[in-house]
Amino acid sequence: DPWSAGQLWKDGTDLKVSEAFEPDYVEGLDFWVDAQRTPSLFQDEAKATGVVADGNAVAVWEDRVLGTDYAQTTAASRPVYTVNVINGHPGILFDGTDDYLETATMLSGYSGSIYWVAELSVISAHTVVFAEGKTDATSNTVSFGLSHPVHNSGAIRAAANTPNDQITSNAATLPTVAAICCMESNGTVWAGRINGSGQSFYVRAGSNNGQWWSDQAGDRMTIGARRTQHGGSDPFNGYIGEILVYDSVLSTGDQASVEAYLSRKWGVSL
């Protein structure tokens, strides 16, 4: 039966995934947020009032793996739940100015993979989807997102600041078009994919040394920006649908299963 839970299969030339597949069927899932799962979205930090309608501000986005709350205490910096935006599905709208969600509960590890589904409104600067940031001027930061127009507009990007290393893909995503993106590190180099296709990368600063989480005291994990001592930096401008973080580089089969799941769910062709 090709529709056994989590099984990947071929139908002619099309790669498909069982409707029953879930990302946690793949070992090592550290983090998972999903805009289609409204029970994980709340309008207040106490989580007394859920997100129920288009236009509701998101004060908390709950991680489905550990139950960690990614929160924003400043009302004006909360992203907005928006329906019918990512190929007919909801997304969380980050305004590209000061919206972000954060937690002091750190992820750790020297290698891993991050997958995200997002749709840019416009590219006017570096835009961060997910990051480990700092609340002071000394901690390391590692961020994953999309690139400034000067550095190949919309290219997937990995960056760190200790040392200062930045890479961007030679191919790029497009504004107002949803994409499935992946960045991964084996602990030595970063690599990445857009809509199931492996990418070549250009080193914009330093080297490609594959930095992952440093888990330093006082740091923050953030969605929609890179945390600095001044607040959110490199804010995302557009809709984020889903983010998955694994603690290793996935096997070819697991990678295909995850990407096929995201493709089916969000209507993005591979």
Side-chain angles (χ1 to χ4, degrees), residues 230-269:
H230 304 297
S233 181
D234 300 337
F236 190 79
N237 191 337
Y239 305 98
I240 295 177
E242 189 162 357
I243 307 173
L244 305 166
V245 178
Y246 292 90
D247 66 4
S248 67
V249 174
L250 301 188
S251 68
T252 300
D254 285 343
Q255 185 179 73
S257 293
V258 169
E259 290 176 340
Y261 154 82
L262 293 171
S263 172
R264 171 184 58 79
K265 182 174 179 178
W266 293 97
V268 178
S269 297

Side-chain angles (χ1 to χ4, degrees), residues 23-236:
D24 55 0
Y25 292 174
V26 175
E27 185 177 357
L29 182 63
D30 277 347
F31 170 82
W32 179 12
V33 290
D34 177 3
Q36 292 191 34
R37 188 177 184 273
T38 53
S40 67
L41 298 165
F42 299 90
Q43 297 184 59
D44 62 311
E45 294 170 77
K47 299 166 63 173
T49 305
V51 165
V52 295
D54 184 43
N56 285 165
V58 178
V60 174
W61 199 353
E62 185 181 80
D63 166 32
R64 295 187 62 178
V65 178
L66 299 175
T68 303
D69 293 342
Y70 283 69
Q72 178 54 257
T73 58
T74 302
S77 297
R78 291 172 178 168
V80 175
Y81 175 76
T82 311
V83 302
N84 196 30
V85 287
I86 302 179
N87 294 330
H89 302 293
I92 308 303
L93 174 61
F94 292 79
D95 66 4
T97 301
D98 58 5
D99 289 356
Y100 66 95
L101 301 166
E102 68 176 353
T103 183
T105 302
M106 302 302 296
L107 300 181
S108 61
Y110 296 99
S111 63
S113 308
I114 176 171
Y115 295 81
W116 71 84
V117 176
E119 180 177 309
L120 281 166
S121 296
V122 64
I123 307 173
S124 57
H126 293 313
T127 56
V128 169
V129 173
F130 193 70
E132 175 186 8
K134 58 187 179 181
T135 55
D136 57 45
T138 60
S139 299
N140 185 36
T141 67
V142 179
S143 61
F144 302 98
L146 301 169
S147 184
H148 192 286
V150 174
H151 299 158
N152 193 13
S153 182
I156 55 176
R157 174 177 182 265
N161 76 335
T162 309
N164 180 23
D165 296 320
Q166 300 180 37
I167 65 165
T168 57
S169 60
N170 289 311
T173 65
L174 298 173
T176 73
V177 177
I180 299 168
C181 301
C182 168
M183 289 297 299
E184 61 188 19
S185 172
N186 61 7
T188 303
V189 295
W190 288 308
R193 299 163 65 81
I194 299 174
N195 296 335
S197 297
Q199 300 299 308
S200 58
F201 284 85
Y202 182 80
V203 176
R204 297 291 176 183
S207 62
N208 181 354
N209 70 4
Q211 291 190 63
W212 208 245
W213 318 128
S214 63
D215 190 14
Q216 297 182 23
D219 281 7
R220 298 288 189 272
M221 304 304 300
T222 53
I223 303 171
R226 175 176 60 88
R227 186 68 157 87
T228 73
Q229 66 269 37
H230 304 297
S233 181
D234 300 337
F236 190 79

